[in-house]
């Protein structure tokens, strides 16, 4: 039997490819957080580009160092690698506002050590925001991922002030022609689709959008699709994170490879396509069931591709 690859290789440059053999064009730009594959940026980009066939990546951490700490030499090296593999940057996955809110009780989710190489304080945040604006220009992206502080047991006394901080950051981003895409993070104050919808209603500035992460919403016991998704203004979803989740033996949520959890990702992808979403869908594996980050991401991406196919996307 002649394989598809062998058959296509025998066709001349001007030959007509039968419709059944034409590769489908994805409805979305596909991306991956490179450190979910490897801390070796060159290797991660090689896998993303040459094996996964992606044209974009999200930047977060390289060599155990958060992107907000990269020096000029590291930034230049990342640029060289991106150019070598013809990759564009979908989003800067910064840790901005992923700190404790001052004047409130310490969050139970506040980590005892840094996460993804980030060990910044509240006092650092405005400087980080300005630095992120510069990095966005350097890497040719208009998307900067942010959060809204580690989750408080009682948000009410602080919610208006938190909104004001996010609102002011969005106003600064707007002046630069950039967009802040706030992630619904299960350990932060905006964790679900419902909470993301509330935030967008409180801050109508178009320079603030949502990084919609159904996995994080699932960790908060929200049914992310269709329930949580329906609570978010569709024109203000500016980025997507893809990971799956299921109940562990102890009843707690655990990460799973795409397609092996309970989230209706096929339905979610179909809805995004039908609603006109055109931005990146980024694999954020988190699951490590295959033994290594690279193999776990490889298997999760295989599941993601199957789900995109089921969705006609």
């Amino acid at each position: 039997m002649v394989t598809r690859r062998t058959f296509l290789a025998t066709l001349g440059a001007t030959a007509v490819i039968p419709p059944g053999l034409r590769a489908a064009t994805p409805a979305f730009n596909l991306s991956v957080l490179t450190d979910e594959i490897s801390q070796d940026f060159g290797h991660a980009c090689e896998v993303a580009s040459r094996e996964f066939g992606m044209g974009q990546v999200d930047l977060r951490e390289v060599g155990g160092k958060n992107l907000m700490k990269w020096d000029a030499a590291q930034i230049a090296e990342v640029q060289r690698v991106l150019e070598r593999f013809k990759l564009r940057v979908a989003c800067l996955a910064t840790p901005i506002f992923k700190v404790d809110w001052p004047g409130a009780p310490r969050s139970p989710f506040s980590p005892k050590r840094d996460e993804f190489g980030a060990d910044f304080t509240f006092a650092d945040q405005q400087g980080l925001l300005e630095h992120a604006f510069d990095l966005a220009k350097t890497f040719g992206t208009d998307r900067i991922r942010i959060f809204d502080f580690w989750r408080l047991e009682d948000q009410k006394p602080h919610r208006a002030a938190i909104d004001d901080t996010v609102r002011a950051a969005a106003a600064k981003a707007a002046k630069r022609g950039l967009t802040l895409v706030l992630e619904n993070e299960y350990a932060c104050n905006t964790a679900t689709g419902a909470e993301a919808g509330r935030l967008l209603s409180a801050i109508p500035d178009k320079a603030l959008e949502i990084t919609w992460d159904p996995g994080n919403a699932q960790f908060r016991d929200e049914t992310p699709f269709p329930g949580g998704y329906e609570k978010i203004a569709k024109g203000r979803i500016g980025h997507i994170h893809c990971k799956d989740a299921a109940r562990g033996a102890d009843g707690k949520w655990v990460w799973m490879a795409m397609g092996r959890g309970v989230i209706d990702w096929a339905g979610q992808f179909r809805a995004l396509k039908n609603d006109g979403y055109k931005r990146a869908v980024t694999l954020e594996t988190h699951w490590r069931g295959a033994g290594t980050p690279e193999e776990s991401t490889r298997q999760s991406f295989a599941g993601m591709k199957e789900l995109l196919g089921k969705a006609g996307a």
Side-chain angles (χ1 to χ4, degrees), residues 71-84:
D71 59 26
Q74 289 170 307
I75 291 171
E77 176 59 20
V78 168
Q79 288 180 298
R80 283 191 290 268
V81 173
L82 291 170
E83 176 58 29
R84 184 193 316 157

Side-chain angles (χ1 to χ4, degrees), residues 247-301:
R247 293 281 188 189
D250 60 358
K252 296 181 180 179
W253 292 107
V254 295
W255 300 122
M256 297 296 293
M258 289 287 287
R260 301 184 194 177
V262 301
I263 299 172
D264 180 10
W265 270 108
Q268 178 67 89
F269 285 142
R270 190 178 299 113
L272 287 166
K273 178 184 176 182
N274 292 340
D275 289 336
Y277 179 79
K278 299 295 185 184
R279 295 283 180 174
V281 290
T282 295
L283 180 61
E284 187 187 28
T285 314
H286 276 18
W287 174 71
R288 292 292 179 263
T292 67
E294 180 175 340
E295 183 56 30
S296 298
T297 297
R298 182 175 288 112
Q299 291 186 24
S300 198
F301 184 56

Side-chain angles (χ1 to χ4, degrees), residues 148 155-156 158-164 166-167 182 189-204 208 210 222 228 231-233 236:
D148 68 344
Q155 295 184 35
K156 290 180 181 179
H158 310 281
R159 189 66 252 186
I162 291 172
D163 285 354
D164 285 344
V166 175
R167 185 181 293 109
L182 187 142
N189 288 304
T190 292
T192 65
E195 289 172 347
R198 185 218 65 81
L199 182 75
L200 293 176
S201 294
I203 308 174
L208 177 69
I210 294 296
E222 180 183 65
K231 303 290 176 53
I232 307 171
R236 295 185 69 188

Side-chain angles (χ1 to χ4, degrees), residues 43-60:
H43 179 66
C45 286
E46 182 176 20
V47 172
S49 174
R50 295 180 178 173
E51 181 180 339
F52 294 173
M54 294 176 172
Q56 297 189 3
V57 292
D58 284 30
L59 302 181
R60 180 172 60 193

Side-chain angles (χ1 to χ4, degrees), residues 81-156:
V81 173
L82 291 170
E83 176 58 29
R84 184 193 316 157
F85 293 104
K86 307 302 180 188
L87 289 166
R88 293 181 293 115
V89 175
C91 182
L92 299 181
T94 79
I96 292 172
F97 298 153
K98 203 173 189 181
V99 294
D100 281 301
W101 179 252
R106 183 180 176 86
S107 168
F109 294 95
S110 181
K112 295 180 180 179
R113 59 177 299 276
D114 64 88
E115 287 192 338
F116 303 109
D119 56 358
F120 303 105
T121 67
F122 179 82
D124 296 326
Q125 298 308 301
Q126 294 306 314
L128 291 178
L129 187 65
E130 294 295 332
H131 184 46
F133 294 158
D134 293 337
L135 286 177
K137 181 178 180 181
T138 297
F139 289 116
T141 183
D142 66 344
R143 312 271 105 176
I144 298 171
R145 189 272 306 271
I146 67 168
F147 300 92
D148 68 344
F149 305 95
W150 293 120
R151 194 170 184 90
L152 298 171
E153 293 183 341
D154 182 9
Q155 295 184 35
K156 290 180 181 179

Side-chain angles (χ1 to χ4, degrees), residues 213-252:
D213 189 319
N216 284 336
Q218 190 71 66
F219 260 55
R220 277 278 153 200
D221 295 319
E222 180 183 65
T223 300
F225 183 82
Y229 177 71
E230 292 177 344
K231 303 290 176 53
I232 307 171
K234 302 308 174 289
R236 295 185 69 188
I237 293 178
H239 198 52
I240 303 289
H241 276 181
C242 302
K243 51 184 180 275
D244 216 335
R247 293 281 188 189
D250 60 358
K252 296 181 180 179

